Amino acid sequence: MQTNYETLTEAVKELAIIGSIGNVLGWDMHVNLPPKGNMLRAQQGSYLAGVGHKKFTGKEMGVLLAALCIEADAGNLTEDQALNVRKLRQDYEKATKLPTAFVEEKSEATSLANQAWVEARMANDFSKFQPHLEKIVELCRREADLFGYQGHPYNALLQLYEPGMTVEKLDSVFIQLRPFLSVLADWVIADGKKHRPVEGKFPLEKQRELVKKVSALLGFDFTAGRLDISPHPFTVSFSPNDVRITTRYSEKNLLYALTSTIHETGHGLYEQGLPADQLGMPLGEACSLGLHESQSRLWENHVGRSAEFWQFMLPALAESFPEFRGVKLKNWMRQANRVERSLIRTEADEVTYNLHIILRYEIEKGILEGKIQVKDLPEVWNSKMQEYVGVTPDTNANGVLQDVHWSMGSMGYFPTYTLGTIYAAQLFAQASKELPLKEQVAAGQFHDLREWLRETVHRHGRKYSADELVEKVTGSPLNPRPLMDYLMAKYVAL
Ligand code: ZN
C-alpha cells in the first residue's frame, strides 16, 4: 500500500508539472510571443494557474496534509519529509484563506489596473490610474485582513514575498540605512571624482558572445539553461535542470547587457543549485524574494562591479573591443560605479538605489495606514524624491508612474530588493572571511564562491527563513552594517 507521503509526492509532482508548464508559457510570452498572441496566452496562463490552485486547495489535499502532520508530530517521517509537510500545510492554509470570489475580483481589478497604468504612463496622466490604484489599495487592505496579522497590516502582505519579515525589523534597519545613504550620496557627488568616459559602438554580436562567456565563467550551466533577450531581464526556472535567464543590449553601453546578465546569472545559479530531487516540494524551492535578490546582487555588485573583477576583465575586453585598449582600471571603475541623483529606480547606482526603495516602502505603509491618500501620491512622491534622492521628477511618468508593481496588486514586494542588497553584503563579507576572494576574482576564478553559495544557501531550499539562514551562515540576523562598510570602503577607494 502507498504511504501518505508517497501520495503527497505524486500530487506535488503533478502540481510542479502544471506550474512548470505555466512558466514555459510565461517565458515564451516575454521572449518570443508576437503581439497578437497576447490574448490567448493570458487565457492559457490563467487557466493553468486555476487548475493548479484548485488541485492544491482541494479538500483531499487538506485531509492528506492534516494526516501527514500527525505522522510528523509522532516522529514517523524523516526530518526532511516532516519539514516539507509542515511548510506545505502552511502554504495550504494561506492559499485557502482567500475566498475564490476575492481572488477573481483581485485578478480582474489588477488586469484592468495594469492596462490603465500602461496608458497613464504613456500619457503622463496620473488621473487615469488613480481610481484603479484606489481599488487596488482597498483590495490589499482586505487581503491583509483575510490573511490576518500581528501588529501592522503591512506584515500580512510582506509574508507573501519575505516570510518572517516584519515592519518592525524593516523600520529598525531602514532608520540606519537611509541617513547613511543620503550622506554618502552627497559626499560622493560633491567629491566628483573625474574620469574619461570610455565610449564607442559595441557590436551586438560580440556583446552576445561576451556576456554568454561571462555567465558560463561564473558557473551558469548552459546544458541546464539558456540566455535569451527580453526588454525587461528576468529569470524563470522550469526545474534546476532547465533555468532560463534573459538580458538586453545597447550598442552604446556595454555595461547595460553585462551587468544585467551577471545579475540574472546570480538568480539562475540559485535556481540551478536547488535540490532537483525535491522538485515542487518546499525543500526544492527558493527561500524568499529577498534571498533570491541577494544572489543576483552579490554577483552583480560585489563581484561584477569590483576592482578585482575589472582587473581581470579589462584586458579580455580590450581584445574584443578596441575602445578598451589602454583604459586604466581606476578610470573605468569610476565610470562603472558613478553615483547620480537619478529619477528611475531600475537605472540607479548602488548608493542611491536603496533610497528609491525606502521611499516606496514608506509610501506603501502610509497608504495602508490611510495616512497617505492615493490622490495625493504624485505630490508625496515628488517631495520625498527631493528629500531622499535630491531630485524632483520632471513628469509623473518618470515619478510615481514608473513601476509596474502596484498595478499588479503587489504591495509589500519592494522591500525585498533592499533586503536582498543587505543579505548580499552580509553573505559576501562572510565568504570573504572564509575564501581568498580578492585573489580568486582577480584571476577570473569563481568556482569556490559559487560552491560556497551552493553549500550555505542554495541547497537548503525553504528549510530556513531568509533571516534565519543568513544568521546561520554569518552569525548575524538582518544587519545593514556590512552593506554600509562595503559601500564606504568602495567609494573611499575610487
Ligand atoms: Zn533581481
Side-chain angles (χ1 to χ4, degrees), residues 263-264 267 293 296-297 417:
H263 181 98
E264 299 306 328
H267 284 304
E293 195 65 8
S296 54
R297 303 266 162 186
Y417 293 118

Side-chain angles (χ1 to χ4, degrees), residues 282-295:
L283 279 174
E285 291 177 328
C287 165
S288 74
L289 287 188
L291 202 66
H292 227 304
E293 195 65 8
S294 78
Q295 300 304 292

Side-chain angles (χ1 to χ4, degrees), residues 130-279:
Q130 186 188 322
H132 294 276
L133 187 53
E134 279 163 352
K135 175 74 187 171
I136 299 253
V137 169
E138 186 234 320
L139 285 164
C140 285
R141 284 205 191 105
R142 269 161 60 197
E143 195 172 16
D145 289 338
L146 286 165
F147 281 131
Y149 53 84
Q150 288 187 323
H152 202 286
Y154 197 78
N155 286 339
L157 303 180
L158 267 175
Q159 301 319 303
L160 299 173
Y161 313 103
E162 197 66 18
M165 194 42 60
T166 62
V167 161
E168 294 69 25
K169 284 188 205 172
L170 284 178
D171 283 345
S172 75
V173 165
F174 289 175
I175 207 164
Q176 303 169 63
L177 201 52
R178 185 168 83 76
F180 168 81
L181 294 173
S182 286
V183 170
L184 183 61
D186 287 348
W187 172 72
V188 176
I189 290 166
D191 198 34
K193 290 216 175 99
K194 299 273 183 297
H195 70 276
R196 278 220 344 254
V198 184
E199 286 165 339
K201 236 178 131 191
F202 308 105
L204 297 188
E205 204 37 58
K206 279 190 174 173
Q207 287 198 44
R208 256 190 282 258
E209 272 171 38
L210 169 79
V211 300
K212 195 172 174 190
K213 252 191 215 160
V214 170
S215 181
L217 193 64
L218 302 183
F220 189 76
D221 178 359
F222 278 93
T223 63
R226 284 179 59 91
L227 169 64
D228 291 277
I229 301 174
S230 69
H232 302 284
F234 68 94
T235 297
V236 64
S237 168
F238 310 152
S239 85
N241 292 317
D242 191 352
V243 176
R244 308 299 176 93
I245 60 176
T246 69
T247 190
R248 70 305 198 228
Y249 297 89
S250 155
E251 267 200 326
K252 283 194 197 145
N253 182 355
L254 196 68
L255 279 178
Y256 193 64
L258 193 58
T259 51
S260 76
T261 306
I262 297 177
H263 181 98
E264 299 306 328
T265 297
H267 284 304
L269 288 173
Y270 188 7
E271 291 293 338
Q272 287 184 337
L274 290 167
D277 61 347
Q278 295 281 346
L279 185 67

Side-chain angles (χ1 to χ4, degrees), residues 2-223:
Q2 204 173 30
T3 66
N4 280 335
Y5 195 81
E6 283 163 354
T7 310
L8 179 72
T9 306
E10 264 175 27
V12 163
K13 179 142 193 232
E14 195 183 344
L15 287 167
I17 288 172
I18 296 169
S20 68
I21 297 171
N23 285 347
V24 175
L25 292 175
W27 171 83
D28 178 72
M29 180 171 83
H30 292 293
V31 174
N32 294 317
L33 199 71
K36 285 184 180 170
N38 254 324
M39 181 77 97
L40 180 65
R41 182 53 47 88
Q43 289 168 350
Q44 290 169 327
S46 72
Y47 171 79
L48 273 177
V51 172
H53 184 77
K54 216 166 151 190
K55 279 209 179 291
F56 183 59
T57 55
K59 267 221 173 78
E60 259 175 58
M61 181 61 89
V63 172
L64 181 62
L65 285 170
L68 277 162
C69 274
I70 294 170
E71 287 185 36
D73 290 343
N76 296 339
L77 299 178
T78 68
E79 201 184 315
D80 280 358
Q81 289 174 338
L83 199 133
N84 279 331
V85 164
R86 293 200 175 103
K87 292 267 180 200
L88 280 171
R89 181 92 185 274
Q90 289 169 10
D91 295 347
Y92 176 84
E93 275 165 11
K94 203 182 266 176
T96 49
K97 264 186 184 159
L98 302 182
T100 313
F102 178 84
V103 175
E104 284 168 3
E105 189 183 349
K106 189 171 177 190
S107 152
E108 202 184 313
T110 51
S111 106
L112 291 173
N114 190 251
Q115 285 168 31
W117 169 75
V118 171
E119 284 166 27
R121 191 170 169 227
M122 214 126 72
N124 187 33
D125 181 356
F126 181 74
S127 71
K128 283 189 201 295
F129 184 45
Q130 186 188 322
H132 294 276
L133 187 53
E134 279 163 352
K135 175 74 187 171
I136 299 253
V137 169
E138 186 234 320
L139 285 164
C140 285
R141 284 205 191 105
R142 269 161 60 197
E143 195 172 16
D145 289 338
L146 286 165
F147 281 131
Y149 53 84
Q150 288 187 323
H152 202 286
Y154 197 78
N155 286 339
L157 303 180
L158 267 175
Q159 301 319 303
L160 299 173
Y161 313 103
E162 197 66 18
M165 194 42 60
T166 62
V167 161
E168 294 69 25
K169 284 188 205 172
L170 284 178
D171 283 345
S172 75
V173 165
F174 289 175
I175 207 164
Q176 303 169 63
L177 201 52
R178 185 168 83 76
F180 168 81
L181 294 173
S182 286
V183 170
L184 183 61
D186 287 348
W187 172 72
V188 176
I189 290 166
D191 198 34
K193 290 216 175 99
K194 299 273 183 297
H195 70 276
R196 278 220 344 254
V198 184
E199 286 165 339
K201 236 178 131 191
F202 308 105
L204 297 188
E205 204 37 58
K206 279 190 174 173
Q207 287 198 44
R208 256 190 282 258
E209 272 171 38
L210 169 79
V211 300
K212 195 172 174 190
K213 252 191 215 160
V214 170
S215 181
L217 193 64
L218 302 183
F220 189 76
D221 178 359
F222 278 93
T223 63

